[in-house]
Amino acid sequence: MGDSKRKVTSFVQEFKDFAMRGNVIDLAVGVIIGGAFNKIVTSIVNDVIMPPIGALIGGMDFKDLVIRLDGISEPITLADAQANSVPVIAYGSFINTVIDFILVAFCVFLLVKGINALHRRKKVEEIKPEPTTKTCPYCVTEIAIKATRCPNCTSELGETQASQ
């Protein structure tokens, strides 16, 4: 009995450690924000982009574009087809979903591109090249960093000067 209690306690502790890691919490926040962002994009597609396209194709709601599969040529809306169990291919809804995806993918692309630009800028600031030259303390001429004698004034450079 004590062994199974120890296993349960160990399992609970392991789950607690996992759930409290920073990256798990960051992921949860990202999923929640992503869900809200998806609702915004869906609204833009359904309420802003598709109505003008529907007006251009004859005043029909774009999501109601369907192909009937029951052999009847009479037009039907998607809502009527679903209410009456009429088999249809709802290609208007599919196109809405594809446009949703393209907009979300484009926004994610812009976000990643911006983050990468910030990382590149940060890396450029952090990386400073190692110096390859130093200044001779006697004649103030630029010389190779490993030089022990100045080629211009022939002064001998000590260890302390060679490491400057």
Side-chain angles (χ1 to χ4, degrees), residues 5 17 26-27 41 45 53 57 65 96 117 123 126 154 162:
K5 183 178 179 183
D17 292 343
D26 291 344
L27 178 63
V41 171
V45 169
I53 293 174
I57 60 170
L65 294 177
N96 277 357
K123 284 182 182 178
E126 289 177 356
T154 67

Side-chain angles (χ1 to χ4, degrees), residues 123-161:
K123 284 182 182 178
V124 168
E125 292 171 358
E126 289 177 356
I127 299 174
K128 293 183 180 176
E130 291 290 323
T132 58
T133 61
K134 62 183 176 185
T135 305
C136 173
Y138 301 105
C139 67
V140 195
T141 303
E142 287 291 315
I143 58 174
I145 196 132
K146 293 183 179 180
T148 56
R149 184 177 284 254
C150 177
N152 189 42
C153 69
T154 67
S155 298
E156 286 203 32
L157 306 172
E159 274 304 310
T160 58
Q161 294 166 345

Side-chain angles (χ1 to χ4, degrees), residues 51-130:
I53 293 174
L56 289 175
I57 60 170
M60 185 174 197
D61 189 357
F62 201 78
K63 70 178 178 231
D64 284 332
L65 294 177
V66 297
I67 297 173
R68 290 182 73 148
L69 299 176
D70 60 358
I72 301 172
S73 62
E74 181 181 319
I76 190 170
T77 65
L78 180 59
D80 290 340
Q82 290 171 340
N84 297 318
S85 299
V86 175
V88 294
I89 296 175
Y91 69 93
S93 292
F94 175 73
I95 292 172
N96 277 357
T97 303
V98 169
I99 292 172
D100 276 357
F101 171 77
I102 290 170
L103 286 176
V104 169
F106 182 70
C107 290
V108 169
F109 166 75
L110 291 177
L111 181 68
V112 169
K113 185 175 171 105
I115 290 170
N116 286 343
L118 290 174
H119 280 290
R120 276 193 300 273
R121 187 178 308 143
K122 184 178 177 184
K123 284 182 182 178
V124 168
E125 292 171 358
E126 289 177 356
I127 299 174
K128 293 183 180 176
E130 291 290 323

